[in-house]
Amino acid sequence: TVCNHNHRRNQMLKSKSLEEQLQDAITHRDKTRIKKLRRKIMKAINPDNPLFDPTRMAEEIARFLPERQPIALRMLMRNLPHEVSNCFPSSVMSVFRNHPKLFKVFEYREAHKLYVQRSEIPLPDGYLKMTYTEAELIHLIAGILQSSNNGSTRTLYDVYGKLPYFAQELVRTVYKNIFDVVKKYPQDFTVCLLYTSDAADEEN
């Protein structure tokens, strides 16, 4: 089965060196594993690297910010030298989120178009909201459903993916998942389990 194959492959990878595991991750284009393995390799080479400290990492990233204008987050990440990016923590966004005196991160004009700038610079015209109330969150969810092309029905995963980044952060940090949001409003939303013919065949 696929599960057994993946288990055997994972067991074989554990016996290989970090460099060999990294090459396998690159071959399979597994970005999450690539990032984790590069960090592990950097730690093995130099466990005392100051960039493993989140504050030092934040200060180093801030050095690469433009002086007077924002920059697309993706572009900033691409432009960082490997000796910095290879030391990233598992959540790069936590570096920005936990150092508001250094950074402002915001969506610009469109959801998920994340930009970052120095904290002392005024935000540009066109930035999206960075805080949402529960009422605003419910309004966003209802708007996503109303824009649906298939009878106002969407998977919760799809609805979550269409929320602006900071609305997603509200869901993640306060409610844990979007189901716990919509179940509070049965008068507005109906959540149902999609029962397919494939599932029926499996039961039979």
Side-chain angles (χ1 to χ4, degrees), residues 14 25 37 46 53 87 116 146 170 181 202:
K14 287 180 180 179
L37 286 165
N46 182 9
D53 176 75
C87 295
V116 59
Q146 288 171 4
L170 176 64
V181 179
E202 287 180 7

Side-chain angles (χ1 to χ4, degrees), residues 2-190:
V2 173
C3 289
N4 287 337
H5 174 75
N6 288 339
H7 177 72
R8 286 197 301 270
R9 179 170 170 272
N10 290 336
Q11 291 300 111
M12 289 176 59
L13 283 173
K14 287 180 180 179
S15 66
K16 296 182 179 295
S17 68
L18 291 176
E19 289 77 10
E20 290 173 319
Q21 292 181 47
L22 176 59
Q23 187 54 53
D24 178 83
I26 292 172
T27 300
H28 289 86
R29 299 181 180 181
D30 189 334
K31 293 182 179 180
T32 301
R33 281 182 59 227
I34 290 171
K35 184 167 68 172
K36 287 181 178 179
L37 286 165
R38 282 178 172 163
R39 179 178 169 87
K40 280 186 177 181
I41 290 170
M42 289 293 286
K43 266 200 167 181
I45 293 172
N46 182 9
D48 298 322
N49 189 326
L51 291 179
F52 291 125
D53 176 75
T55 299
R56 292 293 297 275
M57 169 62 79
E59 292 170 346
E60 185 65 19
I61 292 174
R63 290 180 53 240
F64 293 88
L65 288 176
E67 289 291 334
R68 301 188 179 280
Q69 63 187 35
I71 183 173
L73 185 60
R74 282 188 178 184
M75 182 176 294
L76 173 66
M77 294 294 99
R78 280 201 305 265
N79 291 342
L80 291 174
H82 292 307
E83 57 265 27
V84 176
S85 60
N86 287 348
C87 295
F88 281 164
S90 56
S91 172
V92 180
M93 288 302 295
S94 67
V95 176
F96 299 101
R97 186 168 53 244
N98 295 332
H99 295 87
K101 292 183 178 180
L102 292 175
F103 309 106
K104 285 179 183 172
V105 178
F106 56 95
E107 291 169 295
Y108 185 60
R109 298 191 184 279
E110 298 176 22
H112 302 287
K113 286 185 66 174
L114 288 169
Y115 278 68
V116 59
Q117 66 180 41
R118 297 179 183 275
S119 60
E120 66 270 17
I121 302 174
L123 288 169
D125 294 338
Y127 73 91
L128 303 189
K129 285 173 63 67
M130 291 182 284
T131 58
Y132 291 86
T133 64
E134 184 173 296
E136 289 170 332
L137 179 60
I138 294 303
H139 180 75
L140 284 171
I141 293 171
I144 291 169
L145 290 173
Q146 288 171 4
S147 67
S148 174
N149 293 323
N150 60 345
S152 297
T153 299
R154 286 186 183 272
T155 66
L156 288 176
Y157 180 83
D158 185 36
V159 171
Y160 179 80
K162 290 185 178 298
L163 289 172
Y165 173 78
F166 289 100
Q168 290 180 346
E169 283 293 283
L170 176 64
V171 173
R172 184 183 66 83
T173 58
V174 176
Y175 305 97
K176 307 308 179 187
N177 60 71
I178 195 167
F179 174 73
D180 287 341
V181 179
V182 297
K183 75 177 183 181
K184 295 173 64 177
Y185 297 87
Q187 71 277 16
D188 297 315
F189 307 109
T190 300

